[in-house]
Amino acid sequence: MISCIAVRNDQKTIYTQIEEERQRLKKKEQFKHLLNGSEFQMKGKCAISLMQTKLDIINTILTMKYGRNVIQSQTGRLKEFDSVCKKMQKKGLELNFDLALEKINDLIGVRAVCAYMDDIYQVAELLGRQKDIRIIKTKDYIKEPKKSGYQSLHLILEAAIPQQDDIQWIKIELQLRTAAMDYWANLDHQLRYKRGKKDAQLIDEELQQCASVIRSLDQKMLKIRKKIDKI
Protein backbone atom coordinates (compact mmCIF):
# COMPACT_ATOMS: atom_id res chain seq x y z
CA MET A 1 0.00 0.00 0.00
CA ILE A 2 2.74 2.37 1.04
CA SER A 3 4.75 1.55 -2.08
CA CYS A 4 1.72 2.26 -4.30
CA ILE A 5 1.27 5.68 -2.68
CA ALA A 6 4.98 6.36 -3.14
CA VAL A 7 4.74 5.44 -6.83
CA ARG A 8 1.73 7.71 -7.33
CA ASN A 9 3.57 10.57 -5.58
CA ASP A 10 6.59 10.00 -7.79
CA GLN A 11 4.40 10.03 -10.88
CA LYS A 12 2.69 13.22 -9.74
CA THR A 13 6.10 14.84 -9.17
CA ILE A 14 7.25 13.79 -12.64
CA TYR A 15 4.06 15.12 -14.28
CA THR A 16 4.48 18.42 -12.38
CA GLN A 17 8.09 18.71 -13.54
CA ILE A 18 7.09 17.96 -17.15
CA GLU A 19 4.33 20.59 -17.01
CA GLU A 20 6.69 23.17 -15.49
CA GLU A 21 9.25 22.47 -18.22
CA ARG A 22 6.54 22.74 -20.89
CA GLN A 23 5.43 26.11 -19.52
CA ARG A 24 9.04 27.29 -19.34
CA LEU A 25 9.68 26.36 -22.97
CA LYS A 26 6.39 28.00 -24.00
CA LYS A 27 7.39 31.26 -22.28
CA LYS A 28 10.82 31.08 -23.89
CA GLU A 29 9.26 30.68 -27.35
CA GLN A 30 6.92 33.61 -26.70
CA PHE A 31 9.90 35.70 -25.58
CA LYS A 32 11.84 34.72 -28.71
CA HIS A 33 8.86 35.56 -30.92
CA LEU A 34 8.57 39.08 -29.45
CA LEU A 35 12.32 39.75 -29.44
CA ASN A 36 12.80 38.56 -33.02
CA GLY A 37 9.43 39.93 -34.16
CA SER A 38 9.17 42.51 -36.91
CA GLU A 39 7.97 45.34 -34.61
CA PHE A 40 10.92 45.28 -32.21
CA GLN A 41 13.40 44.59 -35.02
CA MET A 42 12.08 47.54 -37.03
CA LYS A 43 12.15 49.93 -34.06
CA GLY A 44 15.64 48.70 -33.12
CA LYS A 45 16.99 49.30 -36.61
CA CYS A 46 15.40 52.77 -36.63
CA ALA A 47 17.10 53.56 -33.32
CA ILE A 48 20.47 52.37 -34.64
CA SER A 49 20.04 54.39 -37.83
CA LEU A 50 19.13 57.52 -35.85
CA MET A 51 22.11 57.15 -33.51
CA GLN A 52 24.55 56.55 -36.38
CA THR A 53 23.20 59.61 -38.20
CA LYS A 54 23.71 61.66 -35.01
CA LEU A 55 27.29 60.40 -34.78
CA ASP A 56 27.90 61.25 -38.46
CA ILE A 57 26.69 64.82 -37.87
CA ILE A 58 28.81 65.18 -34.72
CA ASN A 59 31.83 63.84 -36.59
CA THR A 60 31.27 66.40 -39.37
CA ILE A 61 31.03 69.26 -36.83
CA LEU A 62 34.23 68.18 -35.04
CA THR A 63 36.06 67.52 -38.31
CA MET A 64 35.30 71.08 -39.44
CA LYS A 65 36.52 72.38 -36.06
CA TYR A 66 39.75 70.38 -35.81
CA GLY A 67 40.58 69.52 -39.42
CA ARG A 68 40.77 65.78 -38.66
CA ASN A 69 38.46 62.79 -38.50
CA VAL A 70 37.28 62.29 -34.91
CA ILE A 71 35.06 59.20 -35.27
CA GLN A 72 36.96 56.59 -37.24
CA SER A 73 34.26 53.93 -37.46
CA GLN A 74 30.91 52.90 -36.02
CA THR A 75 28.79 49.79 -35.90
CA GLY A 76 25.31 48.89 -34.65
CA ARG A 77 23.59 45.65 -33.74
CA LEU A 78 20.53 44.10 -32.12
CA LYS A 79 21.51 41.65 -29.38
CA GLU A 80 20.96 38.03 -30.41
CA PHE A 81 18.32 35.97 -28.63
CA ASP A 82 20.75 33.47 -27.07
CA SER A 83 22.93 36.29 -25.71
CA VAL A 84 19.88 37.99 -24.19
CA CYS A 85 18.80 34.73 -22.51
CA LYS A 86 22.28 34.17 -21.03
CA LYS A 87 22.41 37.72 -19.70
CA MET A 88 18.94 37.50 -18.13
CA GLN A 89 19.69 34.13 -16.56
CA LYS A 90 22.96 35.53 -15.17
CA LYS A 91 20.97 38.37 -13.58
CA GLY A 92 18.41 35.89 -12.24
CA LEU A 93 15.61 37.32 -14.38
CA GLU A 94 12.64 35.51 -15.86
CA LEU A 95 12.65 35.31 -19.67
CA ASN A 96 10.07 38.01 -20.24
CA PHE A 97 10.02 40.56 -23.07
CA ASP A 98 8.87 43.55 -20.99
CA LEU A 99 11.42 42.68 -18.31
CA ALA A 100 14.15 42.50 -20.94
CA LEU A 101 13.24 45.97 -22.23
CA GLU A 102 13.45 47.31 -18.69
CA LYS A 103 16.51 45.52 -17.33
CA ILE A 104 18.78 44.78 -20.32
CA ASN A 105 20.40 48.02 -21.46
CA ASP A 106 22.17 46.72 -24.55
CA LEU A 107 19.34 45.04 -26.48
CA ILE A 108 20.12 47.75 -29.04
CA GLY A 109 23.78 48.70 -29.25
CA VAL A 110 25.95 51.13 -31.16
CA ARG A 111 29.74 51.39 -30.95
CA ALA A 112 31.88 54.28 -32.17
CA VAL A 113 35.67 54.24 -32.36
CA CYS A 114 37.35 57.62 -31.85
CA ALA A 115 40.87 58.76 -32.64
CA TYR A 116 41.84 60.05 -29.18
CA MET A 117 40.67 59.73 -25.59
CA ASP A 118 39.50 63.35 -25.33
CA ASP A 119 37.46 62.91 -28.54
CA ILE A 120 35.31 60.37 -26.70
CA TYR A 121 34.18 62.91 -24.13
CA GLN A 122 33.54 65.61 -26.76
CA VAL A 123 31.27 63.23 -28.68
CA ALA A 124 29.45 62.34 -25.45
CA GLU A 125 29.01 66.02 -24.57
CA LEU A 126 27.55 66.90 -27.98
CA LEU A 127 25.18 63.94 -27.79
CA GLY A 128 23.96 65.14 -24.42
CA ARG A 129 22.88 68.44 -26.00
CA GLN A 130 20.52 66.74 -28.44
CA LYS A 131 16.84 67.39 -27.70
CA ASP A 132 15.78 63.95 -28.95
CA ILE A 133 18.41 62.11 -26.91
CA ARG A 134 18.30 61.45 -23.16
CA ILE A 135 21.37 60.18 -21.32
CA ILE A 136 20.03 57.91 -18.57
CA LYS A 137 23.28 56.53 -17.21
CA THR A 138 27.02 56.85 -17.81
CA LYS A 139 29.51 54.07 -17.10
CA ASP A 140 33.06 55.39 -17.44
CA TYR A 141 35.39 52.41 -17.78
CA ILE A 142 38.15 54.71 -19.06
CA LYS A 143 38.60 56.61 -15.83
CA GLU A 144 37.84 53.43 -13.87
CA PRO A 145 38.66 50.37 -16.02
CA LYS A 146 37.07 47.01 -15.25
CA LYS A 147 39.11 44.49 -13.27
CA SER A 148 39.79 42.64 -16.53
CA GLY A 149 41.42 45.77 -17.98
CA TYR A 150 38.46 46.64 -20.24
CA GLN A 151 38.20 50.33 -21.13
CA SER A 152 35.33 52.16 -22.81
CA LEU A 153 32.76 54.87 -22.13
CA HIS A 154 29.24 53.42 -21.99
CA LEU A 155 26.23 55.71 -22.34
CA ILE A 156 22.77 54.32 -21.70
CA LEU A 157 20.53 56.51 -23.85
CA GLU A 158 16.94 56.93 -24.86
CA ALA A 159 16.34 58.10 -28.43
CA ALA A 160 13.07 59.60 -29.64
CA ILE A 161 11.75 57.51 -32.53
CA PRO A 162 8.80 59.06 -34.44
CA GLN A 163 5.73 56.82 -34.75
CA GLN A 164 2.58 57.42 -36.81
CA ASP A 165 0.76 59.35 -34.07
CA ASP A 166 3.36 59.75 -31.36
CA ILE A 167 7.04 59.57 -30.37
CA GLN A 168 8.48 56.53 -28.59
CA TRP A 169 11.65 56.72 -26.51
CA ILE A 170 13.81 53.65 -27.15
CA LYS A 171 16.77 52.61 -25.03
CA ILE A 172 20.21 52.20 -26.65
CA GLU A 173 23.66 51.47 -25.27
CA LEU A 174 26.41 53.50 -26.94
CA GLN A 175 30.01 52.44 -26.46
CA LEU A 176 32.72 55.01 -27.19
CA ARG A 177 36.35 53.91 -27.29
CA THR A 178 39.65 54.51 -29.03
CA ALA A 179 41.06 52.21 -31.71
CA ALA A 180 43.55 50.80 -29.17
CA MET A 181 40.76 50.07 -26.66
CA ASP A 182 38.71 48.45 -29.41
CA TYR A 183 41.65 46.26 -30.48
CA TRP A 184 42.14 45.01 -26.90
CA ALA A 185 38.41 44.43 -26.30
CA ASN A 186 37.94 42.43 -29.52
CA LEU A 187 40.93 40.16 -28.84
CA ASP A 188 39.97 39.73 -25.18
CA HIS A 189 36.48 38.66 -26.29
CA GLN A 190 37.95 36.04 -28.65
CA LEU A 191 40.53 34.73 -26.18
CA ARG A 192 38.04 34.53 -23.30
CA TYR A 193 36.41 31.45 -24.83
CA LYS A 194 39.74 29.70 -25.42
CA ARG A 195 41.17 30.08 -21.91
CA GLY A 196 41.60 26.86 -19.97
CA LYS A 197 40.69 26.98 -16.28
CA LYS A 198 44.20 25.83 -15.45
CA ASP A 199 45.90 28.87 -16.99
CA ALA A 200 43.05 31.35 -16.61
CA GLN A 201 44.64 33.42 -13.85
CA LEU A 202 47.98 33.74 -15.65
CA ILE A 203 46.30 34.70 -18.93
CA ASP A 204 44.05 37.22 -17.16
CA GLU A 205 47.12 38.86 -15.62
CA GLU A 206 48.83 39.07 -19.01
CA LEU A 207 45.73 40.62 -20.58
CA GLN A 208 45.59 43.17 -17.75
CA GLN A 209 49.20 44.06 -18.49
CA CYS A 210 48.32 44.50 -22.17
CA ALA A 211 45.43 46.77 -21.15
CA SER A 212 47.89 48.93 -19.19
CA VAL A 213 50.11 49.18 -22.27
CA ILE A 214 47.06 50.17 -24.35
CA ARG A 215 46.17 52.88 -21.83
CA SER A 216 49.74 54.20 -21.83
CA LEU A 217 49.74 54.24 -25.65
CA ASP A 218 46.48 56.23 -25.79
CA GLN A 219 47.83 58.77 -23.30
CA LYS A 220 51.10 59.14 -25.24
CA MET A 221 49.35 59.61 -28.56
CA LEU A 222 47.11 62.27 -26.99
CA LYS A 223 50.14 64.14 -25.62
CA ILE A 224 51.83 64.04 -29.05
CA ARG A 225 48.71 65.39 -30.74
CA LYS A 226 48.40 68.21 -28.24
CA LYS A 227 52.05 69.17 -28.86
CA ILE A 228 51.39 69.25 -32.60
CA ASP A 229 48.24 71.34 -32.05
CA LYS A 230 50.34 74.03 -30.35
CA ILE A 231 52.77 74.33 -33.26
Side-chain angles (χ1 to χ4, degrees):
M1 182 69 178
I2 295 174
S3 61
C4 290
I5 293 172
V7 169
R8 283 200 295 270
N9 287 337
D10 287 343
Q11 289 176 337
K12 186 177 180 181
T13 300
I14 292 169
Y15 292 147
T16 301
Q17 290 173 344
I18 291 172
E19 180 59 23
E20 286 175 352
E21 180 65 13
R22 191 183 71 81
Q23 290 297 328
R24 188 188 69 81
L25 291 174
K26 184 180 178 180
K27 287 180 180 179
K28 188 173 182 179
E29 282 302 312
Q30 289 173 342
F31 178 47
K32 184 176 183 180
H33 176 73
L34 290 169
L35 195 66
N36 292 340
S38 59
E39 183 178 352
F40 177 73
Q41 292 286 314
M42 180 190 68
K43 289 179 180 178
K45 288 173 183 177
C46 286
I48 290 171
S49 179
L50 174 65
M51 183 55 60
Q52 291 184 319
T53 300
K54 293 277 185 189
L55 291 170
D56 284 337
I57 293 170
I58 287 172
N59 187 47
T60 300
I61 292 168
L62 294 176
T63 297
M64 290 174 64
K65 182 178 180 180
Y66 297 117
R68 59 181 178 81
N69 198 34
V70 169
I71 298 176
Q72 297 182 329
S73 65
Q74 52 172 296
T75 56
R77 63 101 183 97
L78 297 174
K79 200 171 188 70
E80 293 183 359
F81 173 72
D82 288 341
S83 296
V84 177
C85 289
K86 286 178 183 177
K87 194 161 191 175
M88 293 190 77
Q89 287 165 355
K90 187 177 179 181
K91 289 176 175 283
L93 299 172
E94 183 184 350
L95 296 182
N96 176 279
F97 182 66
D98 290 333
L99 199 58
L101 292 178
E102 179 187 351
K103 299 293 186 181
I104 307 300
N105 292 324
D106 63 341
L107 289 179
I108 304 168
V110 174
R111 180 180 299 153
V113 176
C114 299
Y116 300 96
M117 291 173 73
D118 60 345
D119 291 338
I120 290 171
Y121 295 101
Q122 289 196 70
V123 171
E125 182 185 353
L126 289 175
L127 268 175
R129 296 179 189 174
Q130 308 292 311
K131 292 182 179 180
D132 53 354
I133 296 289
R134 299 171 180 164
I135 298 180
I136 302 170
K137 190 175 183 179
T138 300
K139 297 179 181 179
D140 195 338
Y141 298 120
I142 298 174
K143 291 180 180 177
E144 295 184 19
K146 287 186 177 183
K147 188 178 179 181
S148 64
Y150 175 85
Q151 300 172 74
S152 184
L153 180 66
H154 289 201
L155 300 178
I156 311 303
L157 312 164
E158 281 186 338
I161 306 299
Q163 305 296 309
Q164 286 185 344
D165 303 316
D166 199 2
I167 289 175
Q168 183 176 359
W169 291 87
I170 294 181
K171 189 160 50 177
I172 307 169
E173 182 185 73
L174 173 64
Q175 297 178 0
L176 297 168
R177 57 177 67 157
T178 65
M181 294 173 193
D182 192 54
Y183 169 76
W184 184 93
N186 287 333
L187 290 185
D188 176 72
H189 182 73
Q190 292 176 26
L191 293 171
R192 184 180 303 153
Y193 298 102
K194 296 182 180 180
R195 298 176 204 170
K197 290 184 179 180
K198 183 179 178 181
D199 301 321
Q201 185 176 351
L202 178 62
I203 294 170
D204 286 344
E205 288 173 359
E206 290 177 344
L207 285 167
Q208 288 168 6
Q209 291 170 10
C210 289
S212 296
V213 173
I214 291 292
R215 186 175 183 83
S216 177
L217 175 63
D218 270 328
Q219 290 170 341
K220 276 188 177 180
M221 296 302 289
L222 180 57
K223 285 180 182 178
I224 293 169
R225 194 213 73 205
K226 286 182 175 180
K227 284 181 181 179
I228 293 171
D229 288 344
K230 291 178 180 179
I231 298 173

